[in-house]
């Protein structure tokens, strides 16, 4: 017991340090190592203490040697997750010393590069779509058939077998699958994207996020085809359509931005870490079940967690909102949408900066 | 004599490769970090090329020629030193790369052209010339993955030769294709030499090709400049240097 009461304070800083040194990928001397671990120790334990206090534990009378096992486990889990997150954020932003001048320079460069390479991205996306059509037997029909069949499978599985029917269940599921597919294809594709385009990357300079941007346009087009199917389904199922259906435009826009943001960050790590695609695969599968592609998160998961999970997970939030505005004629939650929009812009910003700083060495690694 | 402008200026350029940069998660967490080894591919290279000149780069395998060329093309920037292209557009021509395998040759012409900084309209105007020059017939509308390696490089050469960028970087392309296409591309290269505005850098192992085309030769040895100067002198020295080793192998 004595050992665990000491260990619970140290596991998180140790993990944080490991993440830190893995991300920085460079040698550090011992004093710096001790300093960094000490900083993590203080920050992580302070934050976890604060959270414990907030959850109703009186930390003033708390004794590490007599506390329950359950609290220890929670403490370790909470602080370790925080440790991974905080060290990752620290490495991404502060420690690399992004200066104000750099922010200005990269922002200007981002805008001019976007303008310069946008026609290429569009053309490449068109060409990819065309190639997909000419190389398959049923050509563009697949864009309709694939999501449609998925919808049938899920409708039967969850509607009949598990008895989880919502109103307009097939459309409900179809919206979920379509939007989730866009996200998951974008994110899992981004990990491999630099390697997949090595013939271009090794011959000519282009900002590497353009590759992702072009791919997202391909996926986006497929998503629009699926939405055409949704429109037909709305008619078939006689859904009462209200003016709030127009809100789907900002919803799709934010979905695009958040996918681009997450993808551009992962794309950078995908170049260096060979086995990242396994991790993203596992995480995405886990996230799929938390995102409610075939059930309503807020309704199905018991009260304090359901609504929180829905708001804390951008894709779940967007899918739920999309169903609300399209199927049930409800108003949009602008406040949270705006928050997620800001977050996704921040993510894009981080991703694009990271790419600009490191893309120089991508060619040498792949 | 009128002094010509410089088209390319390299100042003290160094390019390093870190070996062991590619990590997996297991390596990172379970093993002590192996020190990243640094391999210096190009070391303190300084030279300038005048507008309209043709520079040949020669040297043994692994002496940093292609690395230097890639870095002039902007594929990656040097670790230290500067490369100044004076605002010229640049294109790199190298073997069998730069194509999306599933797309047709025609589609690839447009995409490559756009990456080189041309607009869609400009490329469409030129695309017939490119197709004619490449002489790959009906294959132009088939996916590039069905091409033979000769067709591949013919198309690559045609794209870069017909879409005229100010600076052309040629990496061992001249020795591919059948005899007839080789003559044709040599002639095209000579035509480009007569173009006063066009600056060309050629990397090749063929002494005869370089003697025929270039008016300046750079001999790169282990990432450093060994000699730079008139073709006759430098190529003679290079041939003398390489001769004993070739002799050894023949025996």
């Amino acid at each position: 017991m004595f050992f665990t009461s000491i260990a619970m304070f140290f596991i998180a800083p140790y993990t944080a340090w490991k993440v830190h040194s893995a991300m920085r990928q460079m040698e550090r001397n011992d004093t710096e190592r001790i300093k960094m671990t000490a900083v993590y120790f203080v920050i992580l334990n302070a934050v976890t203490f604060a959270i414990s206090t907030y959850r109703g534990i009186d930390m003033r009378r708390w004794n590490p040697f007599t506390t329950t096992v359950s609290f220890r486990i929670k403490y370790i889990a909470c602080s370790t997750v925080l440790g991974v997150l905080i060290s990752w954020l620290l490495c991404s932003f502060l420690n690399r010393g992004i200066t104000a001048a750099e922010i200005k320079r990269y922002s200007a460069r981002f805008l001019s590069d976007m303008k310069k390479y946008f026609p290429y991205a569009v053309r490449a996306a068109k060409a990819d779509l065309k190639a997909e059509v000419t190389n398959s037997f049923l050509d563009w029909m697949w864009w309709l058939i694939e999501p449609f069949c998925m919808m049938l499978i899920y409708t039967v599985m969850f509607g009949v077998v598990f008895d989880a029917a919502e109103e307009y269940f097939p459309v409900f599921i179809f919206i979920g699958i379509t939007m989730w597919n866009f996200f998951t294809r974008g994110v899992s594709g981004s990990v491999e994207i630099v390697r997949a385009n090595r013939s271009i990357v090794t011959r000519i300079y282009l900002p590497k996020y353009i590759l992702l941007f072009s791919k997202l346009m391909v996926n986006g087009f497929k998503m629009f085809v699926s939405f055409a199917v949704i429109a037909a389904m709305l008619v078939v199922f006689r859904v009462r359509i209200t003016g709030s259906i127009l809100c789907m435009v900002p919803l799709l826009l934010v979905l695009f931005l958040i996918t681009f943001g997450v993808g551009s960050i992962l794309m950078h790590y995908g170049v260096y870490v060979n086995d990242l695609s396994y991790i993203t695969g596992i995480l995405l599968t886990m996230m799929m079940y938390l995102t409610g592609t075939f059930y309503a998160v807020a309704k199905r998961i018991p009260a304090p967690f359901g609504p929180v999970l829905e708001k804390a997970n951008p894709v779940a939030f967007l899918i739920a909102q999309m169903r609300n505005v399209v199927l049930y004629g409800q108003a949009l939650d602008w406040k949270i949408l705006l928050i997620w929009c800001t977050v996704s812009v921040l993510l894009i910003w981080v991703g694009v900066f990271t790419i600009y700083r490191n893309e120089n060495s991508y060619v040498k690694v792949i | 004599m009128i002094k010509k402008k410089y088209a390319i200026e390299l100042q003290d350029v160094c390019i390093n490769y870190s070996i062991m940069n590619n990590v997996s998660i297991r390596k990172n967490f379970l093993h002590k970090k192996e020190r990243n080894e640094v391999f210096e591919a190009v070391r303190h290279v300084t030279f300038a090329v005048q507008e309209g000149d043709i520079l040949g780069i020669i040297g043994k395998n692994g002496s940093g020629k292609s690395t230097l060329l890639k870095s002039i093309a902007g594929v990656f920037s040097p670790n230290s030193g500067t490369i100044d292209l004076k605002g010229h557009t640049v294109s790199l021509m190298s073997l069998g790369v730069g194509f999306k395998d599933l797309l047709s040759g025609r589609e690839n012409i447009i995409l490559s052209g756009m990456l080189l900084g041309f607009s869609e309209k400009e490329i469409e105007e030129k695309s017939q010339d490119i197709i004619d020059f490449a002489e790959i017939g009906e294959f132009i509308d088939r996916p590039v993955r069905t091409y033979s390696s000769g067709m591949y490089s013919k198309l690559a050469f045609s794209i870069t030769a017909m879409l005229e960028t100010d600076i052309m970087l040629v990496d061992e392309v001249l020795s591919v294709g059948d005899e007839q296409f080789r003559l044709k591309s040599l002639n095209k290269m000579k035509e480009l030499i007569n173009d006063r505005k066009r600056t060309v850098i050629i990397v090749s192992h063929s002494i005869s090709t370089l003697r025929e085309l270039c008016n300046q030769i750079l001999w790169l040895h282990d990432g450093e400049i060994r000699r730079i100067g008139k073709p006759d002198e430098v190529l003679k020295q290079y041939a003398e240097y390489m001769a004993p080793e070739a002799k050894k192998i023949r025996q």
Side-chain angles (χ1 to χ4, degrees):
Chain A
M1 274 334 240
F2 178 77
F3 178 71
T4 46
S5 15
I6 301 296
M8 63 188 274
F9 296 112
F10 286 97
I11 289 173
Y14 179 73
T15 324
W17 166 250
K18 271 294 178 190
V19 171
H20 188 105
S21 51
M23 285 203 35
R24 296 295 304 276
Q25 288 191 27
M26 56 175 83
E27 292 286 312
R28 289 311 203 86
N29 56 29
D30 283 342
T31 43
E32 257 182 281
R33 189 171 303 174
I34 291 165
K35 251 192 241 165
M36 278 314 292
T37 318
V39 168
Y40 280 128
F41 179 81
V42 172
I43 292 176
L44 290 175
N45 287 309
V47 174
T48 322
F49 262 70
I51 293 173
S52 310
T53 317
Y54 177 75
R55 294 296 301 166
I57 291 160
D58 192 352
M59 295 312 277
R60 279 167 305 178
R61 261 180 283 158
W62 178 73
N63 179 351
F65 300 109
T66 56
T67 188
T68 58
V69 176
S70 135
F71 180 76
R72 276 170 215 216
I73 293 171
K74 281 184 210 155
Y75 189 93
I76 290 170
C78 176
S79 57
T80 310
V81 169
L82 277 172
V84 172
L85 278 179
I86 289 177
S87 57
W88 181 72
L89 288 174
L90 260 178
C91 287
S92 306
F93 313 117
L94 304 175
N95 247 332
R96 296 196 189 173
I98 287 184
T99 57
E102 231 173 357
I103 291 173
K104 218 170 144 189
R105 188 155 54 90
Y106 282 146
S107 303
R109 193 169 146 195
F110 177 64
L111 290 179
S112 70
D113 274 350
M114 257 326 209
K115 213 167 123 199
K116 190 171 160 197
Y117 288 96
F118 187 76
Y120 168 78
V122 173
R123 185 73 207 208
K126 271 192 209 159
D128 278 343
L129 284 170
K130 219 200 254 172
E132 230 170 275
V133 166
T134 48
N135 289 326
S136 62
F137 181 57
L138 283 174
D139 32 68
W140 58 271
M141 295 285 288
W142 279 121
W143 303 334
L144 297 178
I145 296 168
E146 200 221 340
F148 190 76
C149 290
M150 286 294 166
M151 183 269 293
L152 285 182
I153 296 169
Y154 283 126
T155 310
V156 171
M157 275 310 288
F158 290 91
V160 179
V161 182
F162 289 103
D163 194 23
E166 306 275 333
E167 209 181 342
Y168 311 120
F169 195 57
V171 198
F172 175 93
I173 275 196
F174 202 80
I175 291 177
I177 296 173
T178 305
M179 291 176 73
W180 174 253
N181 270 352
F182 177 78
F183 179 76
T184 194
R185 280 183 190 154
V187 169
S188 57
S190 69
V191 177
E192 301 273 309
I193 202 155
V194 177
R195 265 173 234 278
N197 287 289
R198 70 173 290 145
S199 60
I200 296 172
V201 170
T202 50
R203 196 177 77 135
I204 206 161
Y205 172 77
L206 86 167
K208 307 297 176 283
Y209 55 81
I210 293 291
L211 298 170
L212 178 65
F213 191 74
S214 175
K215 188 170 170 69
L216 288 189
M217 278 203 271
V218 172
N219 294 343
F221 181 80
K222 289 181 189 167
M223 185 166 70
F224 277 114
V225 175
S226 294
F227 267 94
V229 178
I230 291 172
M233 285 168 88
L234 291 181
V235 177
V236 173
F237 286 90
R238 300 208 184 131
V239 178
R240 217 167 59 83
I241 295 165
T242 58
S244 63
I245 201 167
L246 288 175
C247 296
M248 65 189 277
V249 178
L251 284 171
L252 289 179
L253 193 74
V254 174
L255 180 68
F256 187 91
L257 292 180
I258 205 108
T259 314
F260 188 54
V262 174
S264 58
I265 292 173
L266 279 179
M267 163 179 176
H268 165 70
Y269 294 111
V271 176
Y272 292 98
V273 186
N274 283 332
D275 37 11
L276 193 63
S277 57
Y278 293 105
I279 298 180
T280 50
I282 295 166
L283 286 180
L284 281 173
T285 313
M286 194 178 87
M287 218 180 132
M288 182 179 93
Y289 287 100
L290 282 175
T291 303
T293 34
F294 32 73
Y295 65 95
V297 180
K299 272 194 226 160
R300 285 272 157 177
I301 298 176
F305 303 109
V308 171
L309 270 179
E310 189 175 289
K311 281 172 195 153
N313 173 351
V315 191
F317 170 76
L318 291 171
I319 290 177
Q321 290 293 310
M322 183 64 87
R323 285 164 177 164
N324 280 347
V325 299
V326 174
L327 294 177
Y328 310 125
Q330 288 172 18
L332 191 63
D333 194 340
W334 282 104
K335 225 159 83 191
I336 296 179
L337 184 69
L338 225 73
I339 292 175
W340 278 119
C341 187
T342 324
V343 170
S344 55
V345 170
L346 279 177
L347 285 178
I348 293 174
W349 195 72
V350 172
V352 168
F353 280 24
T354 323
I355 290 171
Y356 271 143
R357 290 195 136 211
N358 298 290
E359 65 183 351
N360 201 3
S361 50
Y362 287 178
V363 187
K364 297 174 186 171
V365 177
I366 58 171
Chain B
M1 211 177 103
I2 309 152
K3 199 148 189 249
K4 280 200 256 178
K5 278 188 299 178
Y6 284 121
I8 308 168
E9 261 189 273
L10 273 77
Q11 256 322 312
D12 199 30
V13 169
C14 296
I15 302 164
N16 304 333
Y17 282 89
S18 309
I19 303 164
M20 253 296 296
N21 231 342
N22 206 333
V23 293
S24 82
I25 288 159
R26 188 181 65 92
K27 273 189 219 155
N28 237 315
F29 276 84
L30 297 183
H31 294 268
K32 258 217 148 330
K33 187 65 66 61
E34 286 142 88
R35 195 180 293 269
N36 277 359
E37 262 177 75
V38 174
F39 170 70
E40 293 172 317
V42 174
R43 281 176 290 177
H44 307 289
V45 168
T46 304
F47 68 89
V49 186
Q50 287 182 340
E51 205 166 74
D53 268 11
I54 308 248
L55 173 75
I57 302 182
I58 203 161
K60 284 198 300 190
N61 282 334
S63 54
K65 306 185 296 289
S66 295
T67 307
L68 187 62
L69 217 57
K70 271 187 185 160
S71 135
I72 295 172
V75 173
F76 44 74
S77 50
N79 293 66
S80 68
T82 56
I83 296 175
D84 189 358
L85 299 179
K86 320 270 179 194
H88 292 98
T89 54
V90 61
S91 65
L92 170 67
M93 194 194 300
S94 60
L95 275 179
V97 284
F99 291 113
K100 287 195 166 195
D101 266 357
L102 290 176
L103 305 183
S104 70
R106 207 181 283 275
E107 209 59 71
N108 268 304
I109 290 175
I110 291 173
L111 287 180
S112 313
M114 286 180 95
L115 278 179
L116 290 176
F118 293 90
S119 75
E120 226 173 308
K121 226 178 112 200
E122 283 173 295
I123 303 158
E124 260 154 29
E125 279 165 16
K126 292 234 169 105
S127 71
Q128 197 51 48
D129 292 345
I130 295 171
I131 295 165
D132 290 344
F133 192 86
E135 44 186 43
I136 52 177
E138 60 191 27
F139 270 89
I140 196 70
D141 288 315
R142 297 205 191 146
V144 172
R145 73 186 149 83
T146 61
Y147 285 23
S148 74
S149 56
M151 290 183 197
Y152 229 82
S153 34
K154 271 154 115 178
L155 187 61
F157 182 87
S158 316
I159 290 174
T160 347
M162 305 307 273
L163 291 172
E164 305 186 341
T165 48
D166 305 329
I167 299 169
M168 257 172 81
L169 309 171
V170 184
D171 193 356
E172 319 243 16
V173 183
L174 294 174
S175 52
V176 293
D178 42 34
E179 194 58 33
Q180 182 238 353
F181 189 80
R182 218 155 71 198
L183 278 175
K184 201 166 134 184
S185 47
L186 261 178
N187 281 338
K188 181 73 192 173
M189 289 304 297
K190 279 182 195 155
E191 193 184 300
L192 296 176
I193 299 169
N194 294 331
D195 188 343
R196 290 281 166 83
K197 281 259 168 71
R198 189 73 71 92
T199 313
V200 182
I201 298 184
I202 302 174
V203 165
S204 180
H205 288 291
S206 157
I207 291 177
S208 59
T209 317
L210 289 181
R211 181 170 287 136
E212 200 171 344
L213 291 174
C214 305
N215 51 10
Q216 208 181 7
I217 298 286
L218 173 74
W219 176 6
L220 218 53
H221 187 79
D222 284 346
E224 282 170 329
I225 296 184
R226 185 84 168 246
R227 291 270 186 292
I228 182 164
K230 288 269 160 283
D232 293 335
E233 300 162 27
V234 181
L235 286 175
K236 203 176 143 209
Q237 281 169 339
Y238 178 72
E240 275 165 14
Y241 171 80
M242 293 301 277
E245 284 174 42
K247 213 174 183 180
K248 228 183 275 166
I249 293 161
R250 256 181 231 122
Q251 283 166 358

